[in-house]
Amino acid sequence: MKCEAVKPLVAGYLDNELSESQAAPVRQHLLDCAGCRNEMQSQTAQKSWFVPTEPIAVPDGFATRVSRRAFAGDKGLLVPAPRQEVQRGEARILQFVIQMTAVAAVVLLILALGMKFNAHPEGSELRADSSDLREALEVMERLNREEQFQLPQDNPPGASQPEATQPVGSGVGK
Amino acid sequence: MALRLMKSLPEIEDQELVARTLDGDRDAFGVLVERYQDRVFGLVRHYTRNPVEVEDIVQDTFLKAFTRLSSFQRQGSFHNWVYRIAVNTTLDLFKRQGRNPVQTVEDPEVIGAPPTRSLMRPDAQLKEREIAEVTHKVLAELPEIFRTVLILREFEQQAYQDIADLLGISIGTVESRLFRARAKFKELILQRYPEYGQVE
Ligand SMILES: [Zn+2]
């Protein structure tokens, strides 16, 4: 496979979206070609900005509460209903405000307790067939590291140009 | 409680729970919510950092799901269906609050020459939370359609086909949108944090 054919497939390869018959030659090419491996590396670097964050704890009893509300005909808070305009008289508005404050306080309390006690693990659900990809990526990472390590030796002594930081073999086809 | 009982019976399929809910079984819907609440909370918090708001949106998502339950297609996955409602609920809210200045109906073009610099990995010194903060800040500046494909793909690890189903677009559109979203993400993060750039 040529570099021009491989490069557009790198993203799909990393996303585990290629069929095995598509992925195999891409994988082989990446193992052989430092230039395409470099492209792959820059894409994996970008992916590593998307780290799994700490889970938000679901408040206790959330499901039961939502289910009860649903069956009571609640269509949701965020539906654009002119709630306050419907209220008549200050007493009713005040009552509404007090109720909402109480609800907010309870929600916060539940949330705080939930966060404290409900530190459940999350997000380790890799797709079943992704272990091959992970293994291949580890090998490629290692190749890249070795290459960077060897890089200074490839330069003639004394010739320290800025280009020396560029990866070797970029754009060189197979 | 009946709810606990049913949760311990994983063999009750989503379809069955949907059917029971439609027959008026409140516990069945509770089990459905419980089954997917973690994932929907996880999805929505990529759009807003405010935990109370996250809860409101997730609650609304399930309330909306309930009112539309009869339109749920039996052949589709409940997970995808509820994800779609969650994304739409979030975007509707933001639109109403005028919180998403970058509104785009068409896919925006990534203008200008492709950047010649690539993005480095986050500094090893950065804590995961700090990385997430930078990433979410940049995501919040992206046009909505770009933000959503990146969240679904990079955080939620959704397959292209699932993203396509969820957003009602073709796989080809998912691919091209992801491509442009990634380019735009890189461009923005390099503008804000040039120290993370390196010559390609
Ligand atoms: Zn190549």
Side-chain angles (χ1 to χ4, degrees), chain B residues 60-90:
Chain B
D60 262 40
T61 298
F62 284 112
L63 291 176
K64 266 187 204 164
F66 179 81
T67 60
R68 297 176 196 170
L69 210 52
S70 56
S71 72
F72 168 63
Q73 299 296 308
R74 290 190 143 261
Q75 64 272 21
S77 88
F78 188 80
H79 167 254
N80 271 352
W81 187 70
V82 88
Y83 251 43
R84 179 162 55 218
I85 297 176
V87 169
N88 289 337
T89 302
T90 310

Side-chain angles (χ1 to χ4, degrees), chain B residues 179-198:
Chain B
F179 177 79
R180 287 187 278 175
R182 283 166 168 158
K184 194 75 195 162
F185 178 85
K186 178 165 96 172
E187 186 189 311
L188 274 180
I189 206 167
L190 288 177
Q191 268 172 27
R192 303 287 178 281
Y193 306 89
E195 64 272 27
Y196 283 109
Q198 63 184 355

Side-chain angles (χ1 to χ4, degrees), chain B residues 43-125:
Chain B
L43 170 68
V44 173
R45 59 102 189 267
H46 292 306
Y47 286 93
T48 164
R49 313 291 281 161
N50 175 349
V52 176
E53 190 171 57
V54 171
E55 188 181 344
D56 282 348
I57 294 173
V58 177
Q59 180 173 282
D60 262 40
T61 298
F62 284 112
L63 291 176
K64 266 187 204 164
F66 179 81
T67 60
R68 297 176 196 170
L69 210 52
S70 56
S71 72
F72 168 63
Q73 299 296 308
R74 290 190 143 261
Q75 64 272 21
S77 88
F78 188 80
H79 167 254
N80 271 352
W81 187 70
V82 88
Y83 251 43
R84 179 162 55 218
I85 297 176
V87 169
N88 289 337
T89 302
T90 310
L91 300 186
D92 280 356
L93 174 73
F94 286 3
K95 206 179 288 175
R96 243 182 354 253
Q97 295 178 338
R99 264 164 64 188
N100 188 44
V102 200
Q103 279 297 331
T104 32
V105 182
E106 303 283 315
D107 286 22
E109 295 295 327
V110 174
I111 335 152
T116 52
R117 297 188 320 147
S118 67
L119 184 60
M120 292 194 297
R121 286 175 183 283
D123 201 309
Q125 308 301 316

Side-chain angles (χ1 to χ4, degrees), chain A residues 1-4 6-7 29 33-37 171-174:
Chain A
M1 243 180 139
K2 292 221 161 96
C3 296
E4 310 86 77
V6 170
K7 283 200 169 134
H29 182 94
C33 171
C36 290
R37 215 158 52 233
V172 179
K174 218 182 100 178

